């Protein structure tokens, strides 16, 4: 397929750049372990069951921080410094560029999550009440939902001054409201009502559901729907919002469509939202 | 027709960067666009590349409209932008392999490395290359598809003389491969040394267009001739050739003339008639720099006295 020509080499180049960059290695490998250790000792007291309870939130933080602060920032940098402009005068398509960013992000994120899980298993002896395969599947769905969402910021943010601001504006509410950093049952009811619209909430809810409450796929319909819709909207918006140069303005119609797409995620979440089981404090 | 431009105007708000450019380029050879900063060279080239869209006018490159037919056109042109930024953690070879993968056909990375004389740097990270090497890589990236037309925007700006000469060799080799090259420069000697055709731009307009020799012929400037003879010269017969005396400088008689060829013929006769021996002859013709400065409306720097340098 012509639109995908170059994707393989772009992906390889992205992986090589990641492996050769100390900063990228730190955020991919060291930071997730650091996060795990902090969580495990400060909030979990090093206890396996409590770490197993905390881990879904921790994984979620890993997924959304990588999605919003990882390659989406590289995307802004490469647009700002003119690397994208150089690509633009070749026949390579935006689809190939965005796809390669998404694939590299998915692969590095997989490495982060695997390493985090391995250390959690070996050091703290985490256990899952439900199917491990289902945990992996839900995490994969989460990556599929959040990686494209993060890359949207990479297209929308004009430069590296505005990019971290936008990212933080999205990242912190998701982290604190989704139940990832703060147990969901601690949140006031009104805040919970808002949090139920955020896709991150469903990643925590689903993974915790399987790990802690031993739920099966039948009980996870709502999270699966919300995350699939998020992934689909995210992918579509990347197509609408991509630009080679910051000086190119995004057509108004596409901005309107993007806002509509994000709202659609909230509407779907509102429509399918069940009573979140993580809102009940475990005994 | 390689490139055809008709009535091209580009405005940025109030600023008129291109004010009606007409240009026809045939395939083959090296064409240079020469002009000071802000003359519109980059705007013109980037319009040909499809990076900027014309305010009005018609542009075709290889028979295609760069604005609407970009993907097909970009298969067949190679571009070096004025500023090239590349991922710094990839090696030279990896970078060429990456760009090669964007095209349907083209050269192998190793072939390009040898074209731009970077074989020894194939495993070096881009971030560790010198300015000249980076620039040769940037030109190399324009060659990975073995394009019919290569557009180079100020390929040698900021390079030291040795690095500039190495890059010139790369460009000349392209001409030998039968490729067409369009390059911009603000170095006059570069245009003179490399280009088969020079287009001079000033303030968004083309003010001259021709081979370096044609441009020199167009000069209003005068040549200066210095001669030294054994004995006393009666210069009057020389004046018939249109030369004017400028007095003496050391042992040399100095003349200015707009027709140095006629002067030399007249001089031969005078020497014979007066039985004089010619000890020295020096001729300073207007340089492309003089022509260029006449065209872009600046005064040449005050070097009208010394016979040293610029001799031909």
């Amino acid at each position: 397929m012509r639109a995908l020509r170059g994707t393989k080499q772009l992906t390889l180049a992205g992986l090589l750049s990641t492996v050769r960059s100390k900063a990228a290695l730190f955020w991919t490998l060291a930071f997730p372990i650091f996060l795990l250790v902090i969580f495990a000792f400060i909030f979990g007291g090093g206890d396996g069951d409590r770490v197993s309870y905390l881990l879904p939130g921790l994984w979620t933080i890993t997924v959304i921080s990588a999605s919003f602060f990882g390659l989406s920032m590289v995307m802004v940098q490469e647009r700002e410094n003119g690397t994208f402009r150089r690509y633009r005068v070749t026949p390579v398509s935006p689809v190939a560029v965005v796809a390669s960013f998404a694939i590299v992000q998915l692969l590095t994120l997989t490495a982060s999550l695997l390493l985090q899980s391995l250390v959690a298993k070996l050091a703290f002896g985490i256990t899952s009440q439900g199917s491990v395969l289902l945990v992996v599947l839900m995490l994969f769905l989460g990556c599929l939902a959040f990686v494209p969402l993060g890359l949207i910021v990479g297209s929308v943010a004009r430069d590296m001054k505005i990019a971290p601001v936008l990212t933080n504006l999205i990242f912190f509410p998701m982290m604190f409201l989704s139940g990832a950093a703060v147990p969901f049952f601690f949140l006031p009811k009104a805040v919970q009502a808002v949090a139920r619209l955020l896709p991150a909430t469903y990643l925590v809810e689903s993974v915790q559901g399987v790990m802690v409450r031993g739920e099966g796929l039948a009980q996870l319909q709502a999270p699966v729907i919300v995350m699939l819709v998020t992934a689909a909207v995210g992918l579509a918006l990347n197509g609408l919002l991509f630009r080679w140069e910051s000086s190119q303005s995004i057509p108004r119609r596409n901005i309107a469509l993007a806002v509509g797409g994000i709202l659609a995620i909230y509407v779907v979440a509102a429509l399918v939202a069940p009573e979140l089981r993580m809102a009940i404090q475990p005994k | 027709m390689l490139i055809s431009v008709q009535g091209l105007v580009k405005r940025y708000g109030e600023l008129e960067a291109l004010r009606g450019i007409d240009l026809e380029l045939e395939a083959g050879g090296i064409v240079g666009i020469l002009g000071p900063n802000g003359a519109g060279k980059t705007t013109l080239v980037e319009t040909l590349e499809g990076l900027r869209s014309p305010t009005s006018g018609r542009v075709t490159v290889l028979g295609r409209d760069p604005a609407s037919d970009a993907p097909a056109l970009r298969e067949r042109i190679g571009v070096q932008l004025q500023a090239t930024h590349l991922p710094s953690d990839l090696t030279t070879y990896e970078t060429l392999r990456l760009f090669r993968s964007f095209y349907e056909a083209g050269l192998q990375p190793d072939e390009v490395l040898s074209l731009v004389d970077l074989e020894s740097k194939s495993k070096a990270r881009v971030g560790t290359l010198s300015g000249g090497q980076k620039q040769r890589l940037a030109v190399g990236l324009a060659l990975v598809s073995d394009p019919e037309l290569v557009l180079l925007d100020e390929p040698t700006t900021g390079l030291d003389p040795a690095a500039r000469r190495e890059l010139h060799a790369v460009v000349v080799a392209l001409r030998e491969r039968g490729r067409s090259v369009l390059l911009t420069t603000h170095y006059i000697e570069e245009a003179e040394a490399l280009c088969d055709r020079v287009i001079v731009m000033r303030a968004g307009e083309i003010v001259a267009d021709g081979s370096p020799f044609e441009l020199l012929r167009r000069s209003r400037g005068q040549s200066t001739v210095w001669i030294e003879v054994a004995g006393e010269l009666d210069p009057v017969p020389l004046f018939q050739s249109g030369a004017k005396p400028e007095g003496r400088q050391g042992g040399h008689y100095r003349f200015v003339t707009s027709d140095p060829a006629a002067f030399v013929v007249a001089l031969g006769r005078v020497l014979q008639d007066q039985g004089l021996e010619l000890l020295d002859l020096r001729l300073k013709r207007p340089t492309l720099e003089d022509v260029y400065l006449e065209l872009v409306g600046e005064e040449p720097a005050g070097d009208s006295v010394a016979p040293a340098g610029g001799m031909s």
Side-chain angles (χ1 to χ4, degrees):
Chain A
M1 206 167 111
R2 192 198 162 112
L4 284 175
R5 197 203 293 160
T7 307
K8 194 177 119 200
Q9 288 296 332
L10 278 165
T11 303
L12 180 61
L15 287 174
L16 286 171
S17 291
T18 305
V19 172
R20 290 170 188 173
S21 151
K22 287 195 181 77
L25 281 185
F26 171 81
W27 291 111
T28 307
L29 301 178
F31 182 70
I33 301 298
F34 175 71
L35 216 59
L36 170 69
V37 171
I38 297 241
F39 259 66
F41 283 109
I42 296 184
F43 303 116
D47 170 69
D49 283 347
R50 286 168 73 184
V51 174
S52 304
Y53 177 78
L54 290 169
L55 206 52
L58 190 63
W59 277 328
T60 303
I61 293 174
T62 305
V63 171
I64 57 180
S65 67
S67 300
F68 286 100
F69 290 104
L71 283 181
S72 71
M73 294 300 109
V74 176
M75 204 164 171
V76 179
Q77 275 166 10
E78 296 206 337
R79 183 176 332 95
E80 205 180 359
N81 68 24
T83 306
F84 275 15
R85 190 165 207 263
R86 184 61 190 80
Y87 292 158
R88 193 184 173 196
V89 287
T90 75
V92 76
S93 75
V95 177
V97 174
V98 176
S100 73
F101 271 81
I103 295 168
V104 172
Q105 185 70 80
L106 281 171
L107 291 173
T108 56
L109 192 46
T110 304
S112 300
L113 291 170
L114 270 177
L115 190 67
Q116 219 171 27
S117 311
L118 196 69
V119 173
K121 181 78 195 166
L122 295 177
F124 305 108
I126 50 152
T127 51
S128 173
Q129 300 300 314
S131 152
V132 175
L133 192 68
L134 202 52
V135 171
V136 172
L137 190 69
M138 287 302 122
L139 276 174
F140 180 70
L141 253 184
C143 295
L144 222 51
F146 285 100
V147 167
L149 216 52
L151 291 178
I152 293 175
V153 181
S155 278
V156 171
R158 181 169 286 273
D159 53 38
M160 279 309 283
K161 284 191 215 89
I162 191 74
V165 178
L166 273 181
T167 301
N168 281 306
L169 276 176
I170 301 168
F171 175 75
F172 278 101
M174 275 213 206
M175 180 164 103
F176 287 112
L177 300 185
S178 66
V182 181
F184 200 76
F185 55 81
F186 273 167
L187 302 174
K189 283 275 172 272
V191 176
Q192 286 187 358
V194 175
R196 281 171 57 177
L197 301 180
L198 300 176
T201 306
Y202 294 88
L203 180 55
V204 184
E205 168 77 354
S206 63
V207 178
Q208 218 173 60
V210 182
M211 283 222 7
V212 179
R213 298 184 294 273
E215 291 169 3
L217 201 51
Q219 291 148 289
L220 299 173
Q221 279 165 9
V224 168
I225 291 172
V226 173
M227 288 194 280
L228 281 177
V229 168
T230 306
V233 169
L235 284 171
L237 294 198
N238 272 295
L240 286 175
L241 300 174
F242 181 84
R243 45 185 174 168
W244 294 110
E245 299 181 49
S246 306
S247 59
Q248 290 178 294
S249 50
I250 301 171
R252 250 162 228 264
R253 191 182 67 100
N254 292 5
I255 294 176
L257 282 170
V259 173
I262 302 284
L263 287 176
I265 297 176
Y266 296 150
V267 170
V268 168
L271 289 177
V272 302
E275 278 307 315
L276 291 177
R277 286 178 287 271
M278 65 180 171
I280 305 158
Q281 184 164 7
K283 285 160 198 93
Chain B
M1 190 64 58
L2 190 71
I3 291 173
S4 163
V5 176
Q6 286 157 19
L8 173 61
V9 172
K10 177 68 181 178
R11 272 190 217 98
Y12 300 109
E14 292 288 290
L15 179 81
E16 207 165 26
L18 297 176
R19 309 151 64 141
I21 300 284
D22 296 295
L23 185 63
E24 305 256 286
L25 252 61
E26 301 283 352
I30 303 170
V31 177
I33 303 179
L34 181 65
N37 289 327
K41 305 186 296 290
T42 295
T43 303
L44 174 57
V45 171
E46 291 191 348
T47 305
L48 300 176
E49 293 161 359
L51 288 178
R52 294 165 198 267
S53 47
T55 305
S56 65
R58 253 181 61 84
V59 176
T60 59
V61 178
L62 301 169
R64 293 171 190 275
D65 180 348
S68 61
D69 217 357
L73 179 60
R74 283 170 184 157
E75 290 279 356
R76 297 167 61 196
I77 63 171
V79 172
Q80 172 248 320
L81 299 173
Q82 199 175 103
T84 304
H85 198 285
L86 299 165
S88 58
D89 288 323
L90 297 181
T91 67
T92 305
Y93 182 91
E94 287 161 355
T95 307
L96 287 166
R97 185 178 60 187
L98 171 65
F99 276 77
R100 172 62 186 83
S101 77
F102 299 159
Y103 296 90
E104 201 159 2
L107 304 174
Q108 293 307 307
D110 285 323
E111 294 175 81
V112 178
L113 282 170
S114 94
L115 282 177
V116 296
D117 198 19
L118 279 175
E119 293 107 318
S120 62
K121 289 286 168 188
S122 90
K123 289 198 174 77
R125 302 266 173 96
V126 170
T128 66
L129 298 178
S130 72
Q133 291 163 347
K134 262 189 196 137
Q135 199 60 356
R136 271 182 284 148
L137 174 59
V139 172
L141 292 176
L143 309 180
V144 287
S145 62
D146 200 13
E148 295 156 61
L149 170 62
V150 183
L151 298 149
L152 308 175
D153 196 359
E154 296 194 3
T156 61
T157 297
L159 298 187
D160 63 51
R164 202 177 296 167
R165 206 160 310 143
E166 285 164 356
L167 225 146
H168 288 174
V170 172
V171 175
V172 168
L174 279 179
R175 172 169 54 194
E176 279 155 17
R177 279 174 68 89
R179 301 295 177 258
S180 306
V181 181
L182 178 64
L183 62 88
T184 72
T185 180
H186 48 233
Y187 297 120
I188 295 135
E189 63 281 11
E190 183 160 293
E192 197 165 15
L194 280 182
C195 299
D196 304 302
R197 177 174 167 192
V198 178
I199 294 159
V200 183
M201 285 185 75
R202 182 191 61 188
E205 288 173 318
I206 292 176
V207 290
D209 182 353
S211 74
F213 288 113
E214 281 166 346
L215 294 188
L216 282 170
R217 261 206 301 278
R218 209 171 299 175
S219 169
R220 298 191 304 266
Q222 304 255 307
S223 299
T224 307
V225 188
W226 291 262
I227 53 172
E228 189 181 11
V229 293
E232 270 312 297
L233 171 79
D234 171 15
V236 177
L238 287 172
F239 302 161
Q240 286 163 3
S241 75
K244 291 191 188 69
E246 285 271 291
R248 297 182 67 155
Q249 193 178 356
H252 286 74
Y253 294 87
R254 186 155 70 140
F255 302 89
V256 294
T257 175
S258 53
D259 190 351
F263 179 88
V264 171
V265 172
L267 178 64
R269 225 176 294 124
V270 166
L271 290 171
Q272 203 165 26
D273 293 350
Q274 302 183 14
L276 294 170
E277 189 192 344
L278 182 66
L279 298 176
D280 189 21
L281 170 86
R282 291 180 171 230
L283 173 64
K284 182 173 184 275
R285 307 210 53 165
T287 61
L288 197 58
E289 183 167 357
D290 297 324
V291 179
Y292 171 74
L293 292 175
E294 274 171 37
L295 287 166
V296 302
E298 289 168 52
E299 287 298 310
D303 65 343
S304 52
V305 180
M311 295 282 169
S312 49

